[in-house]
């Protein structure tokens, strides 16, 4: 038998998309004493700006290492985020529409968690942290607690890391934000010093030729983010497209 893998009890892999939730999740893991490695996925997403955000946020917040894994989900399509032929719906168009919007990427978190598990197992990390949230969210089924718990169990059965003698998974899936509102997440992140101006949530931003970023202010992700800042009573430093009217006059820069 090969020797058992030594899993560092305070070592964690953090899924870092570059958005507000995952940045807060990383800050929380660091605040709780974890030695953090971040992982991002270049999956053919429309909002590629988030990859640059993740690359800046990871060392900025204090992660020890940042890994980008290419995943060709664009070849599969089936989502407004991976198929240029499917328009990103506005938040207004979502009212009364299907509970799972076209921005859902088929099996995205299932795939990402599987890859994060491979990384954790290789790196000897005993936890995977994911900023999934099932309160102020878009109804994606792979953001919910039952899925995360079932995934953890599945991964434990199917990996060398496996199950501990006490019956728990050797690699735990930690989702500290799953039951928090967006406003609560923003308050937590702010208390931990997350610079939300560096995070990117918009599904359909405008990027100028010289690389300036403007959130659209109209997609569901922008709407949830903006409402969260308003509810939290914290200034929204998101730079919105200048041709749009905003309640906080937030078109900085
Ligand atoms: Zn947007």
């Amino acid at each position: 038998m090969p020797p058992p893998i030594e899993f560092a009890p305070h070592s964690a892999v953090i899924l870092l998309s570059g958005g507000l939730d995952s940045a807060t999740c990383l800050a929380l893991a660091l605040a709780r004493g974890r030695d953090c490695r971040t992982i991002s996925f270049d999956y053919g997403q429309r909002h590629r700006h988030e990859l640059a955000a993740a690359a800046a946020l990871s060392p900025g917040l204090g992660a020890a290492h940042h890994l980008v894994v290419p995943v060709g989900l664009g070849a599969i399509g089936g989502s407004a985020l991976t198929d240029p032929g499917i328009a990103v719906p506005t938040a207004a168009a979502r009212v009364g529409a299907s509970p799972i919007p076209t921005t859902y990427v088929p099996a995205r978190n299932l795939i990402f968690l599987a890859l994060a598990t491979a990384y954790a197992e290789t790196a000897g990390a005993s936890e995977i942290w994911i900023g999934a949230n099932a309160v102020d969210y878009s109804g994606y089924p792979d953001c919910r607690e039952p899925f995360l718990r079932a995934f953890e169990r599945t991964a434990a059965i199917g990996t060398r890391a496996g199950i501990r003698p006490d019956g728990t998974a050797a690699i735990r899936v930690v989702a500290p934000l799953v039951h928090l509102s967006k406003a609560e997440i923003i308050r937590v992140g702010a208390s931990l010093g997350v610079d939300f101006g560096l995070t990117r949530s918009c599904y359909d931003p405008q990027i100028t030729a010289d690389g300036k970023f403007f959130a659209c202010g109209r997609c569901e992700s922008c709407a949830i983010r903006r409402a969260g800042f308003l509810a939290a009573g914290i200034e929204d430093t998101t730079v919105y497209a200048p041709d749009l009217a905003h309640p906080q006059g937030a078109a900085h820069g």
Side-chain angles (χ1 to χ4, degrees):
M1 260 180 70
I5 302 171
E6 290 297 324
F7 285 90
H10 296 298
S11 181
V13 169
I14 320 295
L15 277 76
L16 186 65
S17 71
L20 184 161
D21 295 339
S22 67
T24 298
C25 186
L26 169 59
L28 256 180
L30 289 161
R32 293 186 184 165
R34 301 309 194 269
D35 174 20
C36 294
R37 297 164 176 267
T38 53
I39 185 169
S40 297
F41 301 97
D42 183 352
Y43 65 94
Q45 60 268 58
R46 179 193 290 261
H47 47 315
R48 301 184 58 77
H49 54 95
E50 67 177 20
L51 288 170
L57 285 160
S58 175
L61 286 167
H65 188 261
H66 181 59
L67 179 69
V68 181
V69 178
V71 187
L73 296 186
I76 295 172
S79 167
L81 301 190
T82 55
D83 180 348
I86 303 174
V88 173
T90 64
R94 286 273 301 125
V95 176
S98 160
I100 300 178
T102 54
T103 50
Y104 165 72
V105 180
R108 179 172 53 181
N109 279 350
L110 184 62
I111 295 162
F112 289 1
L113 281 168
L115 291 164
T117 300
Y119 186 34
E121 186 170 44
T122 303
S126 57
E127 294 174 344
I128 295 167
W129 288 53
I130 179 169
N133 170 245
V135 179
D136 294 321
Y137 79 133
S138 294
Y140 302 148
D142 54 359
C143 289
R144 299 173 189 160
E145 179 88 30
F147 161 69
L148 299 170
R149 297 283 66 85
F151 175 86
E152 179 184 88
R153 188 71 189 162
T154 299
I157 293 167
T159 54
R160 184 156 66 115
I163 300 169
R164 297 177 198 278
D166 67 0
T168 61
I171 300 173
R172 292 180 55 229
V173 175
V174 182
L177 312 180
V178 74
H179 299 303
L180 299 186
S181 70
K182 189 63 80 179
E184 288 168 330
I185 293 168
I186 289 168
R187 286 198 198 102
V188 169
S191 74
L192 296 171
V194 174
D195 181 353
F196 291 120
L198 297 178
T199 64
R200 299 284 184 258
S201 301
C202 182
Y203 291 148
D204 196 17
Q206 297 173 22
I207 312 283
T208 61
D210 59 349
K212 285 209 177 73
F213 171 91
F214 296 98
C216 78
R218 291 185 290 205
C219 72
E220 187 169 42
S221 187
C222 277
I224 292 173
R225 178 181 171 113
R226 178 183 290 162
F229 278 105
L230 280 171
I234 290 174
E235 185 192 3
D236 182 1
T237 57
T238 308
V239 182
Y240 291 101
D243 59 327
L244 301 169
H246 299 295
Q248 294 191 358
H252 305 293

